[in-house]
Amino acid sequence: MITEYEIATIIEDPSIKEGVSALKNRFLKAESPLYKMNNHDFLALVLLTPHVGLALSNGSISLFEELSLNKKARKFSRGGTFLRKDPVVHAMNLLINSYDKWEDEFLEAVKSVMYQTFEKDHLLLKKEEENLPSEEFHHLVMKTPYIFVKYLKAFFLTEEDAITIERKISAVEYDKILFIGKKLDLEHFAIFKMFCATFDVK
């Protein structure tokens, strides 16, 4: 799972910081003009977007999903929120209430941030490859950039889930994963295709 320390490192990149800050200003101006938030915590919110979208795919967020999202938000947060509401949790509620309005723009920001943190060329399926690699998924995971594996886990899984195990999922949730994968250009990655193959769609 991505940690606050990795988010702190990512936001140090000037181009990422500039893009995140611009989106933060637009979002807060529209949704909560008086609310103040630092760039680290807003990047944390951006990286939570796929998981929020997945949680909303059934039309509403269950108590279990809310607890999972809040736990992840606090883990991503810069910290120092003892005795006050976590800023990422607060901003996440704003995003949940207006998710349809912001989904495309936030996912575009996720994609931009993600592809500035690792080299993606060797993860892409070759055009002539119609099938998945013959190697087993857990071997492919070991060869994949560590940060990319962390992104997959942060976007689509709870903190407790291992990335390589099979798990049951509803058809609507699975379709949302495929939708988000397409928005983030993940559909061309062998590891994403193999990750999707671990789901038992109900």
Side-chain angles (χ1 to χ4, degrees):
M1 186 65 64
I2 292 174
T3 68
E4 66 170 289
Y5 306 107
E6 288 158 334
I7 292 175
T9 299
I10 293 170
I11 199 65
E12 288 177 357
D13 184 302
S15 60
I16 290 177
K17 185 176 182 179
E18 181 180 359
V20 166
S21 180
L23 178 56
K24 178 188 74 175
N25 291 339
R26 292 194 300 275
F27 177 73
L28 293 181
K29 181 179 180 180
E31 303 300 331
S32 186
L34 298 180
Y35 190 66
K36 303 297 180 184
M37 193 176 192
N38 63 57
N39 289 327
H40 173 116
D41 287 337
F42 191 77
L43 174 56
L45 174 67
V46 168
L47 294 176
L48 282 167
T49 304
H51 201 160
V52 170
L54 183 59
L56 285 168
S57 62
N58 287 311
S60 63
I61 295 179
S62 69
L63 176 60
F64 175 78
E65 289 170 328
E66 181 183 356
L67 292 174
S68 177
L69 282 167
N70 287 347
K71 183 177 181 180
K72 193 174 287 189
R74 288 190 294 271
K75 191 175 183 69
F76 288 4
S77 170
R78 192 170 67 177
T81 58
F82 184 66
L83 296 181
R84 68 184 179 90
K85 190 168 185 177
D86 187 278
V88 184
V89 172
H90 176 76
M92 184 173 64
N93 288 328
L94 297 175
L95 177 61
I96 289 169
N97 291 335
S98 302
Y99 186 80
D100 289 343
K101 181 170 128 182
W102 292 99
E103 180 180 41
D104 287 345
E105 193 168 357
F106 270 60
L107 288 178
E108 188 62 31
V110 172
K111 183 170 72 171
S112 176
V113 169
M114 184 172 58
Y115 292 136
Q116 291 183 72
T117 59
F118 68 92
E119 295 292 333
K120 69 176 183 177
D121 290 346
H122 74 285
L123 292 177
L124 296 173
L125 284 166
K126 297 182 178 63
K127 289 184 178 180
E128 64 271 17
E129 287 181 338
E130 296 182 0
N131 299 316
L132 296 176
S134 58
E135 64 185 315
E136 294 186 22
F137 183 39
H138 60 277
H139 289 156
L140 184 60
V141 167
M142 291 180 67
K143 297 177 182 178
T144 300
Y146 186 52
I147 190 65
F148 182 79
V149 175
K150 285 198 159 197
Y151 283 136
L152 277 185
K153 190 167 169 59
F155 295 165
F156 303 117
L157 302 175
T158 66
E159 188 174 359
E160 293 77 18
D161 284 337
I163 194 171
T164 55
I165 65 169
E166 293 186 2
R167 60 190 66 78
K168 293 185 182 298
I169 191 172
S170 69
V172 69
E173 289 173 318
Y174 184 72
D175 288 344
K176 189 65 176 183
I177 289 176
L178 296 181
F179 171 82
I180 293 170
K182 187 171 184 178
K183 286 282 187 179
L184 300 181
D185 288 341
L186 300 178
E187 58 184 331
H188 306 297
F189 293 176
I191 187 171
F192 179 68
K193 287 180 175 291
M194 294 183 79
F195 169 69
C196 290
T198 64
F199 291 103
D200 178 11
V201 182
K202 296 182 286 184

